[in-house]
């Protein structure tokens, strides 16, 4: 079976929808040798944030040396990202081989006249097969829908049951009230496991604590109010939380404080259970965590954010982040939502912040709310709302609307995770088009001529790769023009005290004699009273300038000094 054939087979299964309950997946897994029984799990449920908690926790465990599986839903960039080990997606070959085993097991069930699994049940079984094959030390498992009757809850060896924020979602499916929804999600708690929760409402907290007591489990709740924020920008935060000091996460947004605190409480519980997770593994894991579609910055000029906010609670958190990071900016909003979501509430929360709203239809057209109906809803809160016939058109229109005011404009695509992968692909394709403006070969030829003109041997060791390196640097310049110097500096440079008294952008021109490359751009300067200067070029990936004295190249030094005096 090829990967393409495997996808076709699974797509056929998707026609049968989803069925809550564990009997069918229990039969399927038994046919496969019960791979889940050979694995240990951190099981995560919740309404908003469970994916981020999973990403933090699994990356930290990988950094600590544990081979860590992660099972996520929904995916953003690729179907393969659903199943990962140490951050690496399952390969097409392993995927196809796993599906072939699933197909044979289903054929056996059919021959016996037993119930046949849904797509999600087949995917879950496939993940367990792969994680066992890869000899994972721990699997961080995200529930699909609910908890108690979700297919993932077939697992027995739960080390920690964790809960992201629980709010109203999937009404009538997993419960008709917040209390019923919380009770369903609490079903992942297994006897004797550690229980960690994000900060919850009293109703939810009481349900989770009661279930933990019934199962003889410890219960710990995250305390985000004890988090000290050291630096905070739209592409990351530096913080301290309890004994975890000066940690950094590249995931931004108001909701990440809750998610970070929850993940760190999971780490603390794992440590008490004997898992060795050094502080350095925590630090590196947080810094390396990537979670697409959760207040993710794709571009910086204009700023382009994608966020999967798809319900009232997530929309409120996104609004808080917009107000925090983009106060006074003009917001171009791209929205696409499923018709079974709270789109009236989502638009009422987010659209008043927008200068203009562009609505789109989602790839899953059967479930998508039409762009026209969403635009009509958006106009109640934003005068300018336009239905677009494609995601590509929406991205291009929003970008064009920014015009010459790119520094004062922000584009935000939200409403559903299901189309954000396409948004990212379009933005990245536009970036590649910018790179094509550079003729790599001609730049190499020009550099060789220049080197020969000053008497250098272009084939000598140390110079032979210089033409190619400079051509690549020019490509970096064209693709990196969207770097925001101020934001990048806040991610790179912090001080222990509040001594920074001047922060400003300085336009400069300088020639790097070593690379024969002229630089023109902006340096964001942090000036500290004892005379130290720290600067970082706007073309951050090409030129990184860290100066502890006013002594760089003469041209640059003079301009920095003049600007600061």
């Amino acid at each position: 079976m090829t990967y393409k054939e495997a996808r076709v087979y699974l797509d056929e299964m998707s026609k049968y929808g989803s069925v809550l309950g564990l009997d069918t997946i229990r039969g399927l897994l038994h046919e496969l040798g019960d791979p889940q029984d050979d694995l240990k799990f951190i099981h995560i449920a919740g309404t908003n944030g469970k994916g981020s908690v999973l990403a933090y926790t699994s990356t930290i465990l990988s950094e600590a040396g544990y081979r860590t599986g992660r099972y996520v839903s929904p995916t953003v960039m690729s179907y393969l990202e659903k199943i990962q080990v140490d951050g690496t997606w399952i390969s097409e070959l392993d995927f196809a081989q796993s599906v072939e085993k699933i197909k044979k097991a289903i054929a056996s069930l059919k021959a016996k006249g037993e119930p046949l699994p849904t797509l999600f049940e087949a995917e879950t079984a496939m993940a367990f097969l792969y994680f066992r094959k890869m000899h994972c030390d721990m699997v961080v498992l995200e529930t699909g829908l609910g908890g108690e009757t979700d297919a993932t809850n077939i697992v027995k060896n739960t080390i920690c049951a964790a809960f992201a924020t629980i709010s109203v979602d999937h009404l009538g499916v997993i419960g008709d009230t917040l209390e019923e929804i919380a009770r369903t999600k609490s079903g992942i708690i297994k006897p004797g496991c550690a229980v960690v929760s994000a900060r919850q409402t009293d109703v939810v907290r009481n349900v989770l604590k009661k279930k933990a007591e019934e199962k003889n489990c410890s219960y710990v709740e995250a305390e985000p109010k004890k988090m000290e924020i050291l630096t905070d920008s739209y592409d990351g935060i530096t913080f301290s939380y309890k004994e975890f000091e000066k940690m950094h996460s590249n995931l931004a947004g108001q909701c990440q404080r809750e998610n970070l605190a929850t993940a760190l409480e999971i780490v603390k519980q794992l440590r008490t259970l004997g898992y060795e997770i050094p502080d350095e593994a925590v630090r590196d894991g947080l810094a390396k965590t990537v979670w697409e579609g959760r207040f993710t910055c794709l571009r910086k000029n204009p700023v382009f954010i994608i966020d999967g906010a798809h319900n009232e609670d997530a929309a409120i958190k996104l609004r808080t982040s917009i107000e925090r990071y983009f106060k006074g900016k003009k917001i171009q909003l791209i929205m696409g939502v499923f018709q079974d979501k709270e789109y009236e509430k989502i638009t009422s929360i987010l659209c008043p912040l927008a200068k203009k709203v562009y609505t789109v239809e989602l790839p899953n057209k059967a479930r998508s709310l039409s762009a026209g109906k969403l635009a009509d809803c958006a106009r109640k809160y934003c005068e300018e709302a336009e239905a677009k016939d494609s995601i590509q058109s929406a991205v291009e229109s929003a970008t064009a609307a920014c015009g010459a005011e790119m520094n004062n404009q922000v584009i935000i695509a939200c409403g559903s995770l299901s189309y954000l992968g396409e948004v990212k692909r379009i933005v990245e394709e536009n970036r590649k088009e910018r790179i094509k403006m550079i003729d790599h070969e001609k730049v190499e030829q020009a550099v060789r001529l220049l080197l020969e003109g000053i008497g250098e041997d272009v084939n000598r060791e140390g110079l032979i790769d210089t033409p190619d390196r400079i051509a690549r640097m020019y490509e970096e310049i064209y693709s990196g023009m969207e770097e925001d110097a101020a934001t990048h500096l806040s991610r790179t440079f912090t001080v222990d005290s509040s001594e920074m008294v001047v922060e400003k952008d300085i336009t400069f021109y300088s020639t790097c004699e070593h690379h024969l490359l002229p630089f023109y751009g902006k340096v964001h300067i942090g000036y500290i009273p004892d005379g130290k200067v720290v600067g970082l070029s706007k073309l951050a990936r090409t030129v990184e300038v860290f100066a502890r004295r006013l002594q760089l190249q003469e041209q640059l030094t003079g301009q920095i000094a003049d600007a600061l005096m």
Side-chain angles (χ1 to χ4, degrees), residues 308-379:
H310 63 284
N311 55 35
E312 181 181 11
D313 185 51
I316 290 171
K317 289 174 179 175
L318 176 56
R319 182 186 65 191
T320 301
S321 296
I322 294 171
E323 292 171 340
R324 174 184 296 275
Y325 301 123
F326 304 125
K327 188 175 182 180
K329 301 283 187 180
K330 296 177 181 178
I331 308 298
Q332 307 284 340
L333 204 61
I334 300 173
M335 292 189 75
V337 300
F338 287 123
Q339 56 188 303
D340 58 350
K341 296 298 180 181
E342 305 168 302
Y343 58 87
E344 285 277 2
K345 290 181 179 178
I346 295 170
T347 52
S348 69
I349 293 165
L350 295 175
C351 291
L353 303 177
K355 179 184 178 185
K356 185 168 183 177
V357 180
Y358 303 87
T359 61
V360 298
E361 197 168 286
L362 301 176
N364 185 341
K365 299 187 184 302
R367 285 188 61 200
S368 178
L369 185 70
S370 72
K373 188 171 183 178
L374 183 57
D376 290 341
C377 188
R379 285 191 195 98

Side-chain angles (χ1 to χ4, degrees), residues 446-458:
V447 173
R448 287 194 188 96
L449 287 172
L450 182 57
L451 289 170
E452 290 170 353
I454 60 175
E456 288 285 358
D457 177 6
V458 295

Side-chain angles (χ1 to χ4, degrees), residues 8 41 64 81 171 181 218 220 247 250 392:
V8 169
F41 297 91
E81 71 179 297
L171 277 173
I181 290 169
S218 61
V220 174
M247 300 287 170
N250 291 322
Q392 175 98 29

Side-chain angles (χ1 to χ4, degrees), residues 101-140:
K101 292 177 182 177
I102 296 291
K103 185 177 180 180
K104 290 178 181 177
I106 291 176
S108 177
L109 290 173
K110 189 174 183 179
K112 297 175 184 178
E114 296 184 13
L116 303 183
T118 63
L119 173 61
F120 184 70
E121 289 169 330
E123 291 170 335
T124 303
M126 182 168 60
F128 294 152
L129 271 177
Y130 183 65
F131 294 145
R132 183 173 67 177
K133 175 184 175 181
M134 296 299 289
H135 303 289
C136 288
D137 301 309
M138 184 73 76
V139 173
V140 188

Side-chain angles (χ1 to χ4, degrees), residues 36-47:
Q36 77 282 3
D37 291 345
D38 296 326
L39 300 165
K40 296 179 180 178
F41 297 91
I42 296 171
H43 203 177
I44 304 176
T47 307

Side-chain angles (χ1 to χ4, degrees), residues 214-258:
E214 290 174 359
K215 299 290 185 178
N216 195 29
C217 301
S218 61
Y219 177 86
V220 174
E221 191 166 298
E223 301 176 280
K225 288 186 177 180
K226 292 188 177 180
M227 183 175 289
E228 179 187 2
I229 304 300
L230 304 176
T231 64
D232 187 6
S233 69
Y234 64 80
D235 66 349
I237 62 174
T238 304
F239 67 97
S240 293
Y241 178 74
K242 297 184 177 179
E243 67 263 41
F244 302 100
E245 297 184 351
K246 297 179 184 176
M247 300 287 170
H248 180 79
S249 166
N250 291 322
L251 305 188
Q254 179 67 21
C255 60
Q256 291 306 330
R257 302 181 187 202
E258 194 80 59

Side-chain angles (χ1 to χ4, degrees), residues 56-77:
Y56 288 129
T57 305
S58 57
T59 309
I60 289 169
L61 284 169
S62 293
E63 288 298 311
Y66 295 98
R67 178 167 289 187
T68 307
R70 61 163 78 170
Y71 181 55
V72 301
S73 179
T75 58
V76 177
M77 302 311 302

